[in-house]
Structure formats: structure tokens, C-alpha cells
Amino acid sequence: MSLPRCPSYYNATIKHETHYPQLEGELEVDVVIIGGGFTGVATALELSEQGISVAIVEANKIAWGATGRNGGQVTGSLSGDKAMVKQLQNSIGIEAEQFVWDLRWRGHEIIKQRVAKYGIDCDLKYGHLHTAYKPAHMAEMLATFDEGARRGMADELILVSKAGISDYLDTPLYHGGLLNKRNMHLHSVNLCIGEARAAEANGAKIFEYSQVIDIQDGEQVVVKTPKGQITAKTAVLAGNAYHKLARNKLSGLLFPASLGNCATVRLDPALAKQLNPHDLAVYDSRFVLDYYRMTADHRLMFGGGTNYSGRDSKHVADELRPALERTFPKLKGIEIEFEWTGMAGIVVNRIPQLGKISPNLFYCQGYSGHGVATSHIMGEIMAQAVRGQLEEFDLFANMKQIRLPVGEWLGKQGMALGMLYYRMMEHFR
């Protein structure tokens, strides 16, 4: 059953709502992509720019899933970076560290270029502050600063002391932080819709409310929906935590985690500037962290409280309010106008999962809460792969993934227990 958009701030402020048709009848293209979030749309746009015929089939609306429910932060905090380096050393040797470092920023460049090339109005802004929740967390900030300076980012990083935090945030919480001027924040839904419009202008076919009910794989792939079907040379599964396709191949690899987010009523612009004078995106240094930023119309968007059981929270605003008010005491009692949840796809070792189910059926998933930038990187790699350029795809496809040999429900409980362990370990950091 197809569903409407969730009641998020993003969906209340869409610049160009989508009205793509439901798939009816038969269509033949080079590539069919299942899923209309960042991964699917980014891949489709890459392919359409190369003149390859491509179609997207989305069960609900473009940007309906995690793409339209996140915090809108584009950071170089690449999930699974250490695990990636360790595994890549076996295939590319000493180049592994530089490859992963460059990967951190690749999504930023793709997004910036797209926004400029296609004139996408998505409230793109620069600046992010990673805050130290405890004094001991400053060691992590210093190590990141030193690595960034060593790799040519000295002009884009500022190490902030505890006393200096007040120059950036009106909060009593933090013991310092690291300001990154390269990182960005934006309106996720408007970005994704803007990219979809660009892909359509390049010839891509897009279908909404077209849930895939069957995939027949042979010399060609036939993707079937209730009222139509698409035949293609290649298909890409890009549904992340929201699809249940190809479970015999993909089960036990990825587990959903529920992320809560909210947005206050509009603040007086002077108050918004007092709370966050440089208009930065922020997240803290805990394993289970809070993240927030100001929207273009001066609301505080605040997220956190990840639920690793995979169950949606029913009272998001009530759950987030204590953390919001602890962060900004001046907002005590503020009205929260929007609240919503979303499912992130969590991977045990945090390495994005790229692979093939068969020679012409690809999949791409598992960004573990850092999907805005990572999905664009993977979209580029997937577009290369379906054109036969497999070098980078194979680097990820050949990485060892941890498959939990249990059902989804038991796997979720295992993930929840694992995060409980990390919460406990927080006391010793």
C-alpha cells in the first residue's frame, strides 16, 4: 500500500511538489532503479547525464523514506572508515587511507556541483561544529584537526576551546569542539526533488506510487508493479531500510534504526542568531548523539535518541524536548510544530553495502546514519558499475560484511543490545 509523505518540516516546505505518474503498461529502458530516495535519484541523474535511458520506480513519493527524514547534515563523518581502511589495505595497500579520506569529501563536491549546475534551491549552507560532550572527547577533536591539517584542510578547520564555544553556540553543555567549514547542511527533500527534476529533464522516466511486487531476472530484468512492468538490461535496488526485496540474498546484512527529529515554531531571527550566530549544523561526540541546526526560516531542527530496536517512537517531541531544552535553556517551553521519525539502514561494521544479486541485478544500501553525502558517492559508483566500470564498485563489493544469522526481529534486538553496550562504555570515554 502506497503512503503519503510524513508530517515533517521538509515536507511542509517543499518548493516543487512531485506529481509523477503511476507506472501503467510496459516500458523498456537500459536501467531500472527501484527506490526514489537519494541513492536511486543520484544514480539515475548520473546515468541520464551520460545519455543512458533510465527509469525510477518508487513505492510512495520521491524522497519519501530516510532521504526526507534526516537532519540535513552533509559531513565528512564517514561511517565505518576504520573498517574500510583495514579491509582496503588488502586490495590497494598504502593507498587505502588516502582513498577513504578523499571519500569523506566526495559527496560534498557532487552535491555542490549539482546545486550549481541545475539551480537547485535547497537552502545549502556551510559550516558544522562537532562538539565535545566531555573534556576527554577533545582528544578526538585534536586528532581529527591534526589529520585534516596534514591533508591540506588547515584553512577549513578551527579547534574550539571550552571558553570559545560561546562564540558559536549559546549553550552550557560542551567542553570544546571542531569547526569544519567544508561541511554543509541543507533541505534534504528539496535537494532530492531538484535532482529528480534534473534527471527527468535529461530523459529519465520517474514513477511514484508504483510498488515493485516482483523481479524476474534472466538475460534481462523485468520489474513488475501492480499495473505495469519495466524491462531493462540492468536493475538497481536502492531502497535501503525501507524495502523487503531480495531478502534471501540480503537478509541479516542491514537492520533499521528509528531516528527521531523535530522542528520548533519559527523563532525571532534575533533569538536564532543569538543561539547559533554562525548558522552552523551541530552534532555532539557521544555514540548516541544529538544533532541540530537552524532552518532557513529560523526554526531549530533537533534530532537524536536513536532507537536501535527498529521501532518508531510514538512521542518524538516529548522524547527530544529534554535534550533540546538542556542544550538551549532559552528555549524552555518552546512550541514544537513538527515531529517525525525515519528509518536508517544500520550495518554492523558500518561499511556501505554494494553488490550483485545476479549479473544484472545490483544493490546499494547501508549508510548507518550518514546517508546524505554517502548516498551521492555511492550513486556515482553505482552509475559507473552499471556502465561496466567496476573498479570502485568491486572495492566495496569485495569487502567482508557481517551477516547476523538470525531473523530480522532477533537481529534488531542484537543491534539494540550492542548500542546499550556502547551507551555504557560512554561513561569510560
Side-chain angles (χ1 to χ4, degrees), residues 33 144 332:
I33 297 170
T144 304
K332 186 173 180 60

Side-chain angles (χ1 to χ4, degrees), residues 93-323:
I94 60 173
E95 301 297 323
E97 285 194 9
Q98 188 63 47
F99 176 83
V100 172
W101 177 261
D102 292 341
L103 204 66
R104 289 178 180 275
W105 316 110
R106 185 164 158 185
H108 297 57
E109 292 305 312
I110 294 170
I111 292 169
K112 285 194 297 184
Q113 290 170 12
R114 294 253 175 90
V115 168
K117 180 176 181 178
Y118 295 106
I120 300 173
D121 185 357
C122 61
D123 305 332
L124 180 63
K125 303 174 185 178
Y126 292 85
H128 175 268
L129 185 62
H130 187 193
T131 56
Y133 207 82
K134 294 182 178 181
H137 296 178
M138 282 302 294
E140 176 186 348
M141 312 294 167
L142 179 59
T144 304
F145 175 84
D146 288 343
E147 182 178 17
R150 189 173 74 251
R151 295 182 184 274
M153 283 186 64
D155 293 341
E156 297 175 280
L157 300 174
I158 298 175
L159 199 63
V160 181
S161 67
K162 180 176 181 179
I165 282 289
S166 60
D167 294 335
Y168 298 96
L169 296 170
D170 187 8
T171 177
L173 275 189
Y174 306 123
H175 296 268
L178 181 63
L179 174 64
N180 186 314
K181 298 178 183 180
R182 183 180 296 186
N183 285 338
M184 308 182 294
H185 53 107
L186 48 76
H187 190 298
S188 299
V189 173
N190 283 336
L191 173 61
C192 189
I193 290 176
E195 291 177 304
R197 286 161 59 90
E200 182 187 30
N202 290 336
K205 305 295 184 183
I206 302 175
F207 302 95
E208 295 181 317
Y209 294 135
S210 302
Q211 183 176 7
V212 173
I213 56 175
D214 188 33
I215 302 173
Q216 296 178 352
D217 188 19
E219 291 185 6
Q220 291 185 306
V221 182
V222 180
V223 171
K224 295 190 174 184
T225 68
K227 295 184 178 182
Q229 67 178 42
I230 299 177
T231 302
K233 299 173 185 175
T234 306
V236 178
L237 294 179
N240 205 35
Y242 282 89
H243 76 79
K244 301 294 181 183
L245 300 169
R247 301 319 297 163
N248 59 330
K249 174 72 175 181
L250 301 180
S251 63
L253 289 175
L254 176 134
F255 297 91
S258 179
L259 308 178
N261 221 318
C262 69
T264 67
V265 294
R266 293 181 183 180
L267 306 179
D268 182 279
L271 175 59
K273 189 170 182 61
Q274 181 182 0
L275 297 176
N276 187 347
H278 299 280
D279 202 7
L280 304 173
V282 183
Y283 60 65
D284 68 55
S285 54
R286 293 173 296 170
F287 287 120
V288 181
L289 49 81
D290 294 330
Y291 50 93
Y292 52 89
R293 63 189 184 89
M294 290 294 174
T295 65
D297 58 355
H298 309 298
R299 304 170 189 271
L300 177 67
M301 183 186 291
F302 194 99
T306 307
N307 180 350
Y308 283 87
S309 71
R311 295 187 301 272
D312 275 332
S313 300
K314 295 182 178 179
H315 306 288
V316 176
D318 290 344
E319 293 176 9
L320 292 176
R321 180 179 291 280

Side-chain angles (χ1 to χ4, degrees), residues 15-35:
K15 298 286 186 182
H16 302 282
E17 179 57 279
T18 60
H19 300 285
Y20 294 112
Q22 187 177 25
L23 176 64
E24 295 184 2
E26 297 185 11
L27 177 67
E28 187 166 344
V29 294
D30 293 326
V31 183
V32 58
I33 297 170
I34 303 168

